[in-house]
Amino acid sequence: SQPAGWLARVIGGGKTKSGVSVSEFTALHLPVVFACVNRISNPIAGIPVGIFRKGDKGEAIPVTDHPMSQTIGLRPNPFMSSRTLRKTVQGHALLWGNGQIEIERNGRGQGVNLWPLLPDGTRPRKKGDRLVYDTTISGQNYELPQEDVLHVMDLSHDGYVGLSQIALARQAIGMGLAMEEFGAKFFANDAKSGGFLMHPGRLSTNAQSNLAGRRDRNGQGKE
């Protein structure tokens, strides 16, 4: 089982003080969040990758006899290009604090495909002196050993679970989303702000009804 507060450290969901719900999904609706994730993920996704071994003098020697030596930089699984996979997982790491990739292996233990794991459905867990990854794939629960998972992790308190930047900045993001919503409604109302009616005494029930009826006839006072 996970320690108390694990969800708060990893998932940034829930309402903020501005009244807007913020999660890793809704945070992308704020242009500055989307732009930052895109700006960091794109260059990383474009870096050439390959499989290498260290030579006698410490030099990097390309490996050509590995099952993924030709595909890792082009199509690491049948459905994704290398660029798509890396941009996706880097985005997960920037939003959730954890980007995870499953290594699919053949009978010889060699990696043959790389698959991104859902960041909101995958979590590391200590099991004895090792880590395992609890994940959900196509609606089924799996426990993956540590050696079959590549984990791109952001800042962490414990070294194996990254902190969600969205969770840490959710109040500021909520304020930004609330301001966008307020601005949209303001301009949709022909840039007319609401007003106040002041009366020295207390309006009678009949006077309140007359005032409400007049406002409705003028098409005001409604969202």
Side-chain angles (χ1 to χ4, degrees):
S1 60
Q2 294 295 334
W6 181 84
L7 286 177
R9 294 158 56 201
V10 181
I11 300 177
K15 275 199 171 185
T16 61
K17 294 179 181 179
S18 65
V20 178
S21 293
V22 173
S23 70
E24 285 78 6
F25 296 105
T26 61
L28 283 175
H29 296 169
L30 192 64
V32 66
V33 174
F34 183 90
C36 288
V37 172
N38 210 41
R39 184 66 182 85
I40 297 172
S41 299
N42 269 332
I44 292 177
I47 297 174
V49 295
I51 299 177
F52 301 86
R53 65 177 177 84
K54 184 181 290 187
D56 296 335
K57 298 180 180 180
E59 72 276 21
I61 301 175
V63 175
T64 59
D65 58 350
H66 191 279
M68 292 197 71
S69 58
Q70 301 300 320
T71 61
I72 191 171
L74 297 174
R75 189 163 292 274
N77 68 61
F79 303 109
M80 295 181 178
S81 67
S82 178
R83 184 181 188 281
T84 298
L85 175 67
R86 283 181 283 157
K87 182 173 181 178
T88 298
V89 175
Q90 182 61 52
H92 293 170
L94 292 170
L95 293 167
W96 278 267
N98 301 276
Q100 294 119 342
I101 299 175
E102 179 191 2
I103 305 173
E104 180 186 349
R105 301 185 185 276
N106 59 18
R108 299 175 60 185
Q110 297 172 310
V112 292
N113 285 305
L114 301 177
W115 301 93
L117 297 171
L118 294 175
D120 56 339
T122 305
R123 64 184 184 273
R125 170 172 55 89
K126 283 185 177 180
K127 188 175 183 180
D129 58 351
R130 297 180 56 78
L131 284 178
V132 295
Y133 287 79
D134 297 318
T135 190
T136 301
I137 303 174
S138 299
Q140 296 189 28
N141 297 326
Y142 295 91
E143 180 184 287
L144 303 178
Q146 182 177 3
E147 57 268 22
D148 286 348
V149 177
L150 298 175
H151 188 173
V152 181
M153 184 175 57
D154 207 332
L155 179 68
S156 173
H157 285 325
D158 52 27
Y160 67 95
V161 179
L163 298 175
S164 165
Q165 294 195 40
I166 302 303
L168 296 174
R170 56 195 297 270
Q171 297 297 342
I173 295 171
M175 177 65 73
L177 291 171
M179 291 177 66
E180 277 199 345
E181 183 178 357
F182 173 81
K185 289 183 176 180
F186 178 72
F187 287 110
N189 195 37
D190 296 328
K192 296 177 182 176
S193 61
F196 296 92
L197 290 177
M198 301 186 66
H199 188 269
R202 178 169 183 157
L203 288 175
S204 65
T205 302
N206 188 43
Q208 293 179 33
S209 299
N210 291 337
L211 181 60
R214 182 176 179 181
R215 293 178 69 222
D216 289 341
R217 287 193 299 273
N218 291 335
Q220 299 176 354
K222 295 182 178 180
E223 291 285 338

